[in-house]
Amino acid sequence: MSPVPSPSKLQAPETDIARSLTTLRAACADPALAPTMRTLLQGTCNTLHNAVVAAEEACHDATRDSALFDRVQELAHVGGWEWDAGRHRLHLTGESLRILGSQVTPTLMATMLECLIAPDRRRLQTALDHALPKGNASNLELQGTRGH
């Protein structure tokens, strides 16, 4: 099984928060600070620290779930894709790309259609023709040309 990346790889927001937390903690240690202000800053530090810990845990969980999902797709030889017709954006999972067998990553629906076997190409085009005017979703099992 492939290793799950560490959440520490996503450091940009956490670094800013850590700096802010360090600054707040230093301010709390200032003896000239009024006790009420010290209590308020300590509470803010604790809240900020708890938020950072929760965000790191959520990031780790999402990264682990994503890695597991990728592994399941790979083992089952099942891929997924999503097309935003309004923005003309096509997203394919890694396993979908492997199944399609395309030398380049399709970014347009026309390019993806070319990667399918002829009967599935027609099925998908028909499904799109029916789904697009109504804004409906569609669920099809398709086979790429790689298998042939």
Side-chain angles (χ1 to χ4, degrees), residues 12-144:
E14 290 84 358
T15 302
D16 291 339
I17 292 171
R19 267 195 299 266
S20 298
L21 199 51
T22 301
T23 302
L24 284 171
R25 285 189 175 132
C28 288
D30 184 353
L33 193 62
T36 305
M37 186 55 86
R38 181 176 291 117
T39 302
L40 179 63
L41 282 177
Q42 287 171 339
T44 302
C45 284
N46 290 338
T47 300
L48 190 55
H49 174 76
N50 291 341
V52 169
V53 169
E56 287 174 345
E57 288 174 358
C59 180
H60 184 292
D61 290 349
T63 303
R64 183 182 59 235
D65 289 351
S66 178
L68 290 172
F69 181 74
D70 289 346
R71 183 70 177 139
V72 167
Q73 281 191 339
E74 182 183 322
L75 291 171
H77 300 296
V78 173
W81 59 276
E82 182 177 66
W83 182 46
D84 182 338
R87 294 185 178 135
H88 302 286
R89 291 185 184 163
L90 181 64
H91 173 77
L92 292 95
T93 63
E95 187 63 12
S96 289
L97 292 170
R98 190 197 67 73
I99 291 168
L100 288 176
S102 177
Q103 298 299 321
V104 294
T105 300
T107 56
L108 301 172
M109 182 53 70
T111 310
M112 183 170 133
L113 286 166
E114 293 171 8
C115 297
L116 299 173
I117 60 174
D120 283 355
R121 186 178 310 133
R122 287 189 296 274
R123 284 180 51 233
L124 177 56
Q125 187 62 62
T126 300
L128 293 173
D129 292 343
H130 286 90
L132 282 177
K134 299 175 187 170
N136 294 337
S138 189
N139 186 7
L140 298 172
E141 290 187 25
L142 305 168
Q143 186 172 356

